[in-house]
Amino acid sequence: MKKIIAWIIIKYFNENLDFRARIFNILGFLGVAAGLFFALFSFFTRAGVVMIAANLFASIAGALLIWRANQTGKFKHFFLITVIAVFVILFPTMFFAGGGYNSSMPCFFVLAVVFTVLMLEGRQRTIFTFLEIALYLGCCLIAYFHPETVIPLATEADSAKDIITGCIIAAAVLALAIWQHLIVYDHKLIQLKRLDRERAELFGNISHEMKTPLSVISTYAQLMKNKLESAHSVAAMSDTKGSIEDALLIISEANRLSLIVSQALEVTRIQEGSMVKDKKLCHIGEIITGALSFHFADTSAGNNQNRIDLKIDEGLPPILADAPRIAQVVVNLVTNAIRHTKGGNITVSAWDSGKHISLSVKDTGKGMTKEEAALIFDRWYTGAGGTGTGLGLYICKHIVEAHKGKISVESESGKGSCFTILLPVAE
């Protein structure tokens, strides 16, 4: 007996089977058992030959469907056959032959609809689900208005037993189906988390490995440019001018690729939850002035002919923040403003908003539409121009939110943009 049970489990319930196939087998075996049980119940309660025959037929048909489906592997065909033969044809027959809505059949109607939703896909699922609901509702209405079409159970006690038994079986089958679904869901969730962790680790390792050769390329290109500039100034050689331009191009592209790698690494840190780690009391004014003086010392020629103005209120209360990360946000926003503004003004402001410190970066550049502004913080979104990686503002948003702050943008096409950040004042 143990060998038979083990063989059934291996053949019909192993994890290599598709989820729907396993549910089909589980519900099929339970249906066979339920059919046999109700055949015996109908016999002892003298429910009639039709009811006994219908239950026996359902059990035999269910067993054959399970066997044939697993033999051929064409489960989708047998899902449809089950729905049509058992739920659309057999169940309504059993409803009228076995007590109507004063029996267990309404419970099995519910079970049939759930089974249809679980087993079928696409248009088939929609069509047959609504068909069954309409059919079962029609059966109940016919039984109500024309009670003579229903063969009642012998006694009130038989009806009560039939309803209780049907409720227990239907509840057990539904619970088993949901339990099986949750097992598969949990297993897949664990696999996805593991794959996501492995992908993040691989991505991080690749990014780290790429930074070293990029640094070497950039360093040696800079050295080459310096040597060429020295040779050009000493010998006034005309052919060195083109070489200097080539060296500058190498440096520029190496820096751009280095930025892409750095941003990819930042995304990995976001996914790992290690983006913001070292929060300390600091002042937003010092962070802004330090970041701008280091990255944007030239206020005109090196910044696309833009003028950068600072408007920082005095006596601002401190914030609890990872200062380098907030500086990264400021640099990113100013860099974006420079990229989209030429010969204009970029204003970086900070003021006290009560419980928050407000920080804004406003430009007089080309601005953006409302549709673009709604997507600007999404990962990989590069805007209508398609420049950059689409990661800079996505990273900024996560840094700000990691500080329990908010970032927003107001913009109008042709009239510039204003990015505003709210950071909570340190308690």
Side-chain angles (χ1 to χ4, degrees), residues 123-426:
R123 293 174 64 185
Q124 285 185 351
R125 174 194 289 162
T126 305
I127 291 168
F128 280 98
T129 298
F130 282 104
L131 175 63
E132 287 173 13
I133 292 171
L135 180 62
Y136 299 154
L137 180 61
C139 289
C140 292
L141 290 173
I142 291 170
Y144 180 79
F145 289 106
H146 300 282
E148 69 277 3
T149 59
V150 178
I151 301 173
L153 295 176
T155 65
E156 189 75 20
D158 291 339
S159 180
K161 290 175 185 177
D162 189 65
I163 292 170
I164 292 169
T165 306
C167 287
I168 292 171
I169 292 174
V173 171
L174 288 174
L176 191 60
I178 294 170
W179 174 68
Q180 181 69 18
H181 179 75
L182 290 174
I183 288 175
V184 173
Y185 172 80
D186 290 340
H187 181 66
K188 294 294 183 184
L189 188 62
I190 291 169
Q191 285 184 322
L192 285 173
K193 285 182 177 179
R194 190 188 75 247
L195 289 172
D196 190 57
R197 186 171 61 252
E198 290 173 355
R199 180 197 57 77
E201 289 175 357
L202 177 63
F203 206 50
N205 291 336
I206 291 172
S207 299
H208 276 297
E209 291 299 322
M210 287 180 69
K211 285 181 76 68
T212 301
L214 281 171
S215 178
V216 172
I217 292 170
S218 182
T219 301
Y220 276 88
Q222 186 69 45
L223 289 172
M224 183 176 70
K225 181 183 80 71
N226 294 339
K227 289 179 181 179
L228 287 169
E229 286 177 340
S230 298
H232 182 71
S233 61
V234 172
M237 296 170 63
S238 61
D239 59 338
T240 58
K241 186 176 181 180
S243 299
I244 292 171
E245 291 175 352
D246 292 342
L248 285 171
L249 181 61
I250 293 171
I251 294 168
S252 174
E253 291 304 301
N255 290 338
R256 189 165 73 90
L257 187 55
S258 180
L259 175 64
I260 293 171
V261 171
S262 297
Q263 288 181 336
L265 196 57
E266 296 294 321
V267 172
T268 302
R269 291 195 182 104
I270 288 171
Q271 293 173 335
E272 292 175 348
S274 59
M275 188 68 179
V276 175
K277 293 188 291 185
D278 190 18
K279 290 183 180 180
K280 296 179 180 178
L281 284 177
C282 49
H283 289 84
I284 194 69
E286 295 175 0
I287 294 172
I288 294 171
T289 53
L292 295 185
S293 62
F294 183 80
H295 291 276
F296 308 102
D298 185 354
T299 58
S300 57
N303 296 327
N304 215 2
Q305 302 298 320
N306 293 304
R307 177 178 174 178
I308 300 177
D309 295 323
L310 285 178
K311 292 183 179 179
I312 302 173
D313 289 355
E314 294 183 359
L316 293 177
I319 58 173
L320 187 65
D322 186 339
R325 291 300 184 193
I326 299 299
Q328 180 183 351
V329 173
V330 174
V331 170
N332 204 319
L333 293 178
V334 174
T335 301
N336 279 349
I338 289 170
R339 186 184 300 126
H340 298 291
T341 308
K342 186 173 182 180
N345 292 326
I346 297 168
T347 305
V348 182
S349 307
W351 65 94
D352 190 349
S353 305
K355 293 183 178 180
H356 293 85
I357 296 294
S358 295
L359 187 160
S360 72
V361 177
K362 185 176 183 180
D363 64 63
T364 57
K366 61 182 183 180
M368 66 187 94
T369 63
K370 290 183 178 180
E371 291 77 15
E372 287 180 295
L375 300 171
I376 199 70
F377 296 107
D378 291 352
R379 184 164 55 173
W380 310 120
Y381 182 74
T382 58
T387 59
T389 62
L391 292 174
L393 291 174
Y394 169 79
I395 292 168
C396 288
K397 179 175 181 288
H398 278 271
I399 292 174
V400 172
E401 289 179 350
H403 286 82
K404 298 181 180 179
K406 294 181 180 179
I407 184 170
S408 60
V409 61
E410 292 182 7
S411 184
E412 189 176 344
S413 185
K415 295 185 178 180
S417 303
C418 181
F419 287 84
T420 303
I421 296 169
L422 296 177
L423 294 171
V425 173

Side-chain angles (χ1 to χ4, degrees), residues 65-119:
L65 283 171
I66 295 168
W67 173 76
R68 190 60 184 161
N70 285 274
Q71 284 290 106
T72 61
K74 297 178 179 179
F75 284 96
K76 288 185 179 180
H77 299 310
F78 288 94
F79 296 160
L80 190 58
I81 291 170
T82 301
V83 169
I84 295 171
V86 179
F87 300 154
V88 177
I89 298 173
L90 183 61
F91 272 19
T93 303
M94 293 172 65
F95 176 84
F96 290 104
Y101 47 72
N102 291 317
S103 69
S104 60
M105 285 312 300
C107 295
F108 289 107
F109 284 171
V110 173
L111 189 62
V113 173
V114 173
F115 181 92
T116 302
V117 171
L118 285 173
M119 294 298 104

